[in-house]
């Protein structure tokens, strides 16, 4: 039958036309240096006739560990269409000035010079009137990449502006992991997932959010591992598992505690591990529920804790400098007597005994099952498996976005602790970590360009570290760096976002609503704020304070109106009206851009030099090159910031305002450009980036001799050392060239202490607020009815189709889904409301009401609706995104401070907003409003 | 079929309304569906079995030449005017005249190897008819031919089409019929109804050659 | 049979439904005029209607006697049109918040008509009753069938099957846009280019193969789902998965075209009984449903897979799971292991 011809032989026109399509003139390295996380997928970018035609994953990762699959060909569909965003309809290539009302869509193309002059004048006005802390840069995940991070933060810092904490802005924080470990960022390298014998996907949807690396999960399964998923919905990540357990939204703590009860009652817990790694062996006074402290016993330190040694039958100090038990065998059960400094006696008992009592009382699998809906036998099965197997919790940022996410995470960590599952290959909680690339900030931070200045800087840092450790020999490098960060945080720059929201963005009223908070919040939110301020916990961080109305907002490579929990409206109503200048720097039209006064056109990712966020997940420094020059008048962020610095100097001089004070330090505008560019030494991107790479080599985190040229050859380079970033030191494992990385091995193998108050993984928090709330031990609490008394709970998550809003408005990617925002709803709930698939409905609660189209899906748990995020508000009717129904609550307890690790440092402990399990209802829209105008395409001003 | 000679300019002959055509003799040509069993592939035979095609049963044909060019005026009934496809599952209307290049080239099957035919094919979405050389089904070679021209209107449920070609042989694509004043040949006709998804061999055709004579 | 045959194995137990394959093909081949709506590679959520919608009910292929079966010619709406978006209206026309960005059906003649379907419209909708919902992802491309229904249907002989590797190609010069191939293809993997009036489909990236580079959708699949190679190469993953282990099986074998894309069928977590207890007896994805897609061979395939996975859980080695793990990525598509970034393929000067 088959007609056999070799029709693709040379000379066939069709065949030749296809051959000719797959041709190019040049190839460069490219990647997508945005916070898609973990990112770092090296690509090749193909250019033809001066235009970028496509990209493809390089597939050039070597095998790291013998017997572990390589990481190729890391990438995803967004990465494969990045080139399509170059001249996408949402691209901006000329400076644009608003001429109508904010958000009116009336723009005028202006020259760079006019734009910068006006911007500089407005900045100077603000400084003169309210001081420099009225200049607010919205902390961002730097969608323009590390170049934005460096440029934007440097300039804003240098003029005395503030940056709202990025982790709070994007509410990516694991408060419960932090409470437990004093760090929230254990992050194994992705290839270590292969070693896992029980992958417990919990609060994570890696099939959507971890496309490049998910294969390790599937491959761990083929390697003999088991994969399980706990979630309310039969999420895509359930498909390739061996067990899906459906959890009622917000009840994960009960599930975890039910499993912990099994471990304790069946004696499956790892006794040695519990004793040395955790605080479960420390003693608590039964009279006041506080830890027994040296300050009680002999007037000594407040942070010296005790064990009951079953060998010597005595209360002994638990060392702060090591986790090693030495000759001590601490009791995990029993009540003992301790003598206080005044000679009085108190009864003490180990935390473990309190825990056991609580578990047996409140969290037998049967009781836990009533709360969370998971069958008790499923809990037993998972607990018994985890007790035997190398278990990893594949977590994302979901749990921390629940009101009681901290409790969930503390119980999940407890589950790991009882099963001995950290500090070994294939184990632990998977979180997030960045940092590491010392050279990123060094060129600007050091005295002057060149190697010697870098070496001097490194020596100085080494000396500081050594001095700190000498002063307190119980410190590890990690702890010393963390302590330094607590100090440094008070100098300004990045500050917690909570006060900005509280004073200026309209959240205060919502946060005070008792019905949207937990009943154990005994006082008003205001009272906790006041107490926190009075006790000095937030000294230096309360800015811009109530007397400093924000004047200028910088939005550089991010999109605050898209993502703010609480919605666009709360910002537009409370913050926007009094702002003198809203400046957006971006390469695409975002909703924030549309609501700004200026949009300045940035270079797209393949038009500038950049690096991906450095992360232990991938362990590489990944480079992205300029494949073509930016089109129109677009510029790299560095060039924009340099031009603005120059202009600020110029305008300062013209206005006779060149010097002012900020937190006791003088700031000069006329030398700003020289200071930033090191007298012009870094005036072009190539020189700056070359210096960054070389500095990193000098700091020893990448191989000696690495520079821009070598990066251009290979595209990426594997890190060789952790450097001095707290997030990398938090990994607490040695970095090996031929081994996958599993965090916390120094804690288990070398018994190095944790950076917590007790220097152990800490499950008992005797802070008086926690005691007041009944959260000294991790417990389950119901999620408050945020939004009002409505029958459905709204959850969310990162979408499959976009990195935040970045790809969401591109035609190519829009065609791979429905092209408009969708709300997943179960067939039952849709039917009960007479709602059909793909019907526009109204989602509403006491906060707001928005319109959205349905996607009726069996994956949804009845009672739940899901809207994956990332949609631009301008993709919704009236630009009202679903964030508008989220009240944007924060948990009051996270204002606690003054307690060891419970104090602020950049991107760590602080209140972060909540957006999961918001109560809503959904209703049919009676008269369906449909956009009428058959919108003509009018040649736009952007041309 | 006689091709009368007139002294009218090409431009005028290319207009269906032209008075020249009112005087031309009209031939009634009977059309019938191409036989199912002769469709070239099993798929076509199976898929059109029980799904009729080729419903246009007749066509009125006149022919004129002016010494420089020859014109055929075809009129047939087709209620749906399918000039362009609006969707990928649609087809356009078409019509063709066919000539044998060698005397005994078979009409059915569009010639056979060694015995070619020449087709002037009009399709409602083309700017100009195409010149097709064929030696049997599936062998057709379509070529652009600037010497071909057409004019068409759709009125009162009829297509009214004029297809013409200059008699000049220079630069004619290979396989083009040589017609000249005084010469004789044969001719056949075909019609495709787009609305019935007719294309390729799915059409109505005149099952036998008609004689063709050009007035000297 | 051609002298040699290249074939694909898609491991559905690794597929994420991410559409990287889909995009990789789009940016390489189908970004030309008239191809905007084409997705030579597409991944669908199953159970679902597929692309084009309801494709499994569209006929084509051959019956058990090898006789051609009538098929339906899909519309652009069935495939999913290339939507328009009102960017300028939203960004620049001074309409403020009264205009929002949304897709419009291009066939609505300028009317603002919301699309009702797209190539991946029913993504993640699935079937079954929660918590026993079920669905999985099914990527499809041209199957480069051993007995291609498209080739057999074409009256123009515009479709050929290459002797040296079995690639089925449409000669765009010969193609007259008759679209019998589209009707006849039971997998509905041929599109029509209205601008050029020709049919077009996956070319198996032959231009890449000639340079020793694997097809884009294979090489760019981050899920490491796609094995590729010669069906007769006994060393290849393809041979081992299809012939030795027989876990990779064709989709709709009853279509009669002998497709050369093979699938490792999907497993799923256990379902729950009425008491919320794990039900080990009845699979979450009904076997009848899987048989309707993959034919009777699916039972044996899944049994083998489970057995081998159980072995690895007991700490034993399994050749089968080692292949599916794909320790070394490049081994998935031997001998097409060249790195395109290292090639020099200068564009002809225009
Ligand atoms: S085949 Fe690969 S690229 Fe395609 S959807 Fe599946 S995992 Fe993604
Ligand atoms: S899948 Fe369809 S297009 Fe591809 S060879 Fe088979 S019949 Fe032809
Ligand atoms: S083999 Fe090539 S042409 Fe075919 S679907 Fe894959 S990428 Fe597209």
């Amino acid at each position: 039958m088959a007609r056999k011809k070799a029709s693709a032989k040379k000379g066939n026109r069709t065949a030749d036309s296809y051959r000719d399509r797959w041709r190019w003139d040049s190839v460069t390295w490219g990647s997508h240096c945005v916070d898609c996380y973990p990112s770092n997928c090296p690509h090749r970018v193909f250019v033809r006739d001066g235009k970028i035609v496509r990209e493809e994953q390089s597939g050039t990762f070597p095998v790291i560990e013998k017997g572990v699959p390589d990481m190729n060909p890391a990438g995803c569909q967004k990465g494969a269409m990045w080139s399509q965003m170059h001249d996408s309809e949402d691209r901006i290539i000329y400076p644009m000035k608003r001429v109508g009302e904010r958000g009116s869509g009336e723009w005028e193309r202006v020259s760079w010079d006019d734009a910068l002059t006006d911007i500089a004048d407005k900045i100077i006005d603000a400084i003169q009137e309210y001081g420099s802390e009225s200049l607010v840069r919205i902390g961002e995940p730097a969608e323009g990449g590390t170049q934005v991070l460096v440029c934007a933060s440097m300039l804003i810092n240098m003029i005395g502006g503030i940056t709202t904490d990025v982790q709070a802005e994007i509410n990516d924080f694991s408060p419960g992991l932090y409470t437990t470990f004093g760090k929230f960022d254990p992050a194994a390298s992705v290839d270590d997932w292969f070693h896992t014998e029980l992958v417990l996907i919990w609060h994570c949807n890696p099939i959507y959010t971890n496309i490049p690396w998910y294969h390790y999960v599937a491959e761990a399964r083929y390697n003999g591992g088991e994969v399980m998923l706990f979630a309310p919905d039969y999420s895509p990540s359930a498909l390739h598992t061996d067990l899906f357990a459906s959890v009622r939204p917000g009840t994960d703590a009960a599930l975890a505690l039910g499993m912990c009860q099994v471990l304790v009652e069946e004696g499956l817990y790892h006794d040695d591990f519990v004793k040395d790694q955790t605080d479960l062996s420390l003693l608590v006074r039964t009279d006041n529920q506080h830890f027994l402290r040296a300050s009680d016993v002999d007037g000594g330190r407040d942070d010296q804790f005790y064990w009951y040694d079953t060998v010597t039958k005595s209360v002994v100090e638990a060392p702060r400098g090591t986790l090693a038990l030495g000759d001590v065998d601490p009791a995990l059960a029993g009540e003992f007597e301790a003598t206080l400094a005044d000679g009085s006696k108190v009864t003490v008992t180990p935390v473990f005994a309190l825990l056991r009592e609580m578990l047996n009382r409140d969290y037998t699998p049967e009781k836990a099952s009533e709360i969370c809906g998971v069958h008790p036998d499923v809990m037993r099965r998972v607990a018994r498996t985890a007790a035997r197997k190398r278990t990893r919790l594949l977590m994302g940022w979901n749990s921390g976005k629940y009101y009681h996410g901290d409790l969930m995470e503390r119980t999940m960590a407890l589950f790991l602790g009882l099963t001995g599952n950290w500090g070994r290959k294939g184990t632990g909680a998977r979180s997030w970590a960045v940092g590491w690339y010392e050279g990123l900030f060094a060129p600007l931070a050091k005295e002057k360009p060149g190697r010697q200045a870098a070496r001097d800087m490194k020596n100085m840092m080494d000396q500081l570290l050594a001095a700190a450790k000498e002063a307190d020999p119980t410190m590890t490098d990690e702890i010393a760096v963390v302590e330094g960060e607590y100090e440094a945080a008070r100098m300004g720059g990045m500050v917690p976002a909570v006060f900005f929201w509280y004073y200026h963005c309209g959240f205060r009223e919502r946060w005070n609503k008792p019905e949207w908070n937990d009943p154990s919040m005994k006082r008003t939110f205001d009272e906790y704020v006041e107490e926190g301020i009075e006790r000095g916990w937030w000294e230096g961080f309360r800015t811009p304070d109530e007397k400093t109305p924000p004047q200028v907002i910088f939005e550089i490579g991010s999109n605050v109106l898209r993502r703010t929990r609480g919605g666009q409206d709360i910002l537009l109503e409370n913050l926007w009206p009094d702002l003198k200048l809203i400046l957006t720097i971006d390469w695409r039209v975002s909703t924030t851009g549309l609501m700004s006064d200026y949009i300045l056109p940035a270079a797209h990712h393949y038009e500038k030099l950049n690096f991906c966020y450095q992360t232990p997940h991938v362990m590489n420094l990944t480079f992205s090159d300029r494949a073509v020059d930016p089109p129109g008048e677009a510029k790299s962020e560095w060039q924009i910031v340099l031009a603005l610095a120059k202009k600020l100097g110029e305008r300062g001089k013209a206005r006779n305002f060149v010097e002012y004070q900020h937190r006791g330090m003088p700031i000069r505008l006329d030398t700003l450009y020289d200071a930033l560019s090191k007298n012009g030494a870094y005036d072009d991107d190539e020189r700056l980036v070359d210096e960054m790479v070389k500095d990193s080599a000098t700091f020893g985190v990448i191989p000696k001799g690495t520079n821009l040229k070598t990066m251009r050859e290979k595209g990426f380079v594997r890190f060789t050392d952790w450097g001095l970033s707290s997030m990398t030191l938090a990994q607490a494992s040695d970095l090996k060239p031929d081994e996958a990385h599993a965090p916390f091995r120094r804690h288990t193998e070398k018994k190095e202490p944790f950076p917590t108050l007790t220097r152990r993984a800490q499950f008992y928090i005797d802070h008086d607020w926690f005691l007041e709330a009944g959260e000294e031990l991790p417990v389950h609490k119901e999620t408050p009815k945020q939004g009002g008394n409505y029958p459905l709970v709204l959850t969310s998550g990162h979408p499959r189709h976009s990195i935040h809003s970045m790809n969401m408005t591109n035609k190519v990617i829009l065609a791979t889904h429905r092209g408009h925002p969708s709300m997943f709803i179960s067939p039952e709930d849709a039917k009960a409301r007479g709602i059909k698939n793909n019907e526009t409905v109204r989602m509403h609660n006491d906060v707001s009401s928005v319109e959205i189209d349905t996607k009726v899906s069996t994956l949804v748990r009845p009672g739940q609706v899901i809207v994956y995020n990332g949609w631009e508000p301008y993709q919704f009717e009236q630009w009202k995104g679903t964030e508008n129904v989220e009240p944007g609550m924060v948990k009051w307890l996270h204002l606690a401070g003054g307690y060891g690790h419970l104090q602020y440092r950049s991107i760590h402990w602080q209140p972060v907003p909540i957006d999961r399990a918001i109560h809503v209802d959904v209703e049919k829209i009676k008269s369906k409003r449909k956009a009428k105008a058959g919108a003509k395409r009018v040649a736009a001003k952007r041309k | 079929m006689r091709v009368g000679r007139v002294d009218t300019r090409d431009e005028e002959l290319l207009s269906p309304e032209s008075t020249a055509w009112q005087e031309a003799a009209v031939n009634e040509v009977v059309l019938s569906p191409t036989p199912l069993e002769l469709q070239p592939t099993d798929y076509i035979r199976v898929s059109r079995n029980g799904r009729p095609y080729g419903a246009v049963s007749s066509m009125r044909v006149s022919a004129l030449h002016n010494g420089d060019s020859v014109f055929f005026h075809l009129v047939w009934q087709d209620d749906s005017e399918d000039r362009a496809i609006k969707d990928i599952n649609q087809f356009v209307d078409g019509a063709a005249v066919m000539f044998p290049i060698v005397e005994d080239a078979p009409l059915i099957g569009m010639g056979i190897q060694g015995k070619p035919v020449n087709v002037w094919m009009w399709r409602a979405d083309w700017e100009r008819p195409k010149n097709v050389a064929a030696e049997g089904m599936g062998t057709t070679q379509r070529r652009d031919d600037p010497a071909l021209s057409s004019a068409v209107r759709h009125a009162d449920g009829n297509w009214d089409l004029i297809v013409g070609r200059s008699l000049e042989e220079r630069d004619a694509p290979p396989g083009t019929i040589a017609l000249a004043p005084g010469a004789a040949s044969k001719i056949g006709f075909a019609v495709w109804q787009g609305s019935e998804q007719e294309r390729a061999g799915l059409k109505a055709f005149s099952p036998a050659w008609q004689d063709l004579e050009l007035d000297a | 049979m051609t002298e040699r045959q290249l074939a694909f194995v898609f491991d559905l137990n690794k597929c994420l439904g991410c559409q990287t394959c889909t995009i990789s093909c789009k940016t390489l081949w189908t970004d030309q005029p008239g191809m905007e709506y084409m997705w030579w590679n597409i991944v669908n959520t199953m159970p679902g209607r597929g692309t084009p919608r309801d494709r499994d009910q569209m006929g084509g292929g051959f019956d058990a006697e090898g006789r051609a079966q009538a098929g339906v010619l899909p519309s652009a709406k069935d495939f999913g049109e290339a939507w328009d978006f009102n960017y300028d209206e939203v960004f620049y026309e001074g309409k403020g918040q009264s205009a929002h960005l949304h897709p419009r059906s291009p066939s609505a003649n300028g009317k603002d008509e919301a699309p009702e379907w797209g190539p991946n419209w029913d993504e993640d909708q699935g079937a079954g009753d929660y918590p026993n919902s079920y669905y999985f992802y099914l990527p499809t491309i041209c199957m480069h069938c051993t007995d291609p229904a498209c080739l057999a249907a074409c009256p123009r002989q515009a479709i050929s099957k290459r002797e040296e590797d079995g690639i089925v190609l449409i000669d765009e010069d010969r193609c007259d846009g008759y679209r019998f191939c589209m009707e006849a293809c039971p997998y509905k993997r041929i599109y029509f280019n209205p601008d050029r009036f020709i049919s077009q489909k996956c070319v198996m990236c032959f231009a890449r193969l000639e340079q020793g580079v694997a097809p884009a959708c294979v090489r760019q699949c981050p899920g490491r789902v796609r094995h590729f190679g010669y069906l007769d190469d006994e060393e290849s993953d393809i041979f081992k998965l299809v012939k030795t282990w027989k876990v990779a099986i064709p989709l709709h074998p009853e279509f009669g075209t002998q497709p050369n894309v093979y699938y490792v069928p999907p497993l799923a977590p256990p379902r729950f009984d009425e008491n919320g207890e794990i039900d080990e007896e009845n699979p979450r994805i009904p076997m009848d449903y899987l048989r309707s897609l993959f034919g009777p061979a699916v039972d044996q395939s899944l049994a083998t897979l489970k057995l081998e996975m159980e072995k690895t859980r007991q700490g034993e080695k399994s050749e089968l799971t080692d292949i599916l793990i794909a320790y070394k990525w490049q081994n998935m598509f031997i001998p097409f292991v060249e790195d395109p970034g290292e090639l020099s393929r200068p564009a002809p000067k225009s």
Side-chain angles (χ1 to χ4, degrees), chain A residues 18 54, chain C residues 8 10 21-22 24-26 28-30 39-42 140-142 144 189 201-206 208-209 214-218 220 226 228:
Chain A
Y18 282 96
R54 94 187 274 277
Chain C
F8 301 76
F10 295 169
C21 45
T22 304
S24 75
C25 183
K26 167 64 58 189
L28 182 55
W29 303 124
T30 61
W39 303 93
W40 290 353
N41 176 106
I42 191 70
T140 49
I141 59 172
C142 166
H144 296 276
R189 285 289 84 213
K201 64 159 198 73
C202 158
V203 295
M204 213 198 268
C205 290
F206 73 83
R208 292 169 61 105
L209 299 182
C217 61
V218 169
Q220 293 188 244
R226 298 180 171 216
F228 179 75

Side-chain angles (χ1 to χ4, degrees), chain C residues 15-21 43 139 221-223 225-226:
Chain C
C15 180
L16 300 87
C18 67
Q19 312 280 3
T20 310
C21 45
V43 186
C221 167
V225 165
R226 298 180 171 216

Side-chain angles (χ1 to χ4, degrees), chain B residues 18 52 65 82-83 105 119 139 142 152 170 172 188 213-215:
Chain B
S18 159
H65 78 92
D82 300 300
R83 278 185 188 264
V119 181
T139 67
R142 267 184 203 167
V152 72
R170 258 187 308 155
E213 282 165 48
L214 279 75
D215 285 359

Side-chain angles (χ1 to χ4, degrees), chain A residues 18 21 44 208 232 818, chain C residues 29 123-125 130 172 339:
Chain A
Y18 282 96
R21 293 266 297 288
R44 315 260 199 184
Y208 273 16
R818 285 193 182 174
Chain C
W29 303 124
E123 179 179 42
D124 293 343
Q125 285 181 219
Y130 183 91
E172 295 178 356
D339 174 356

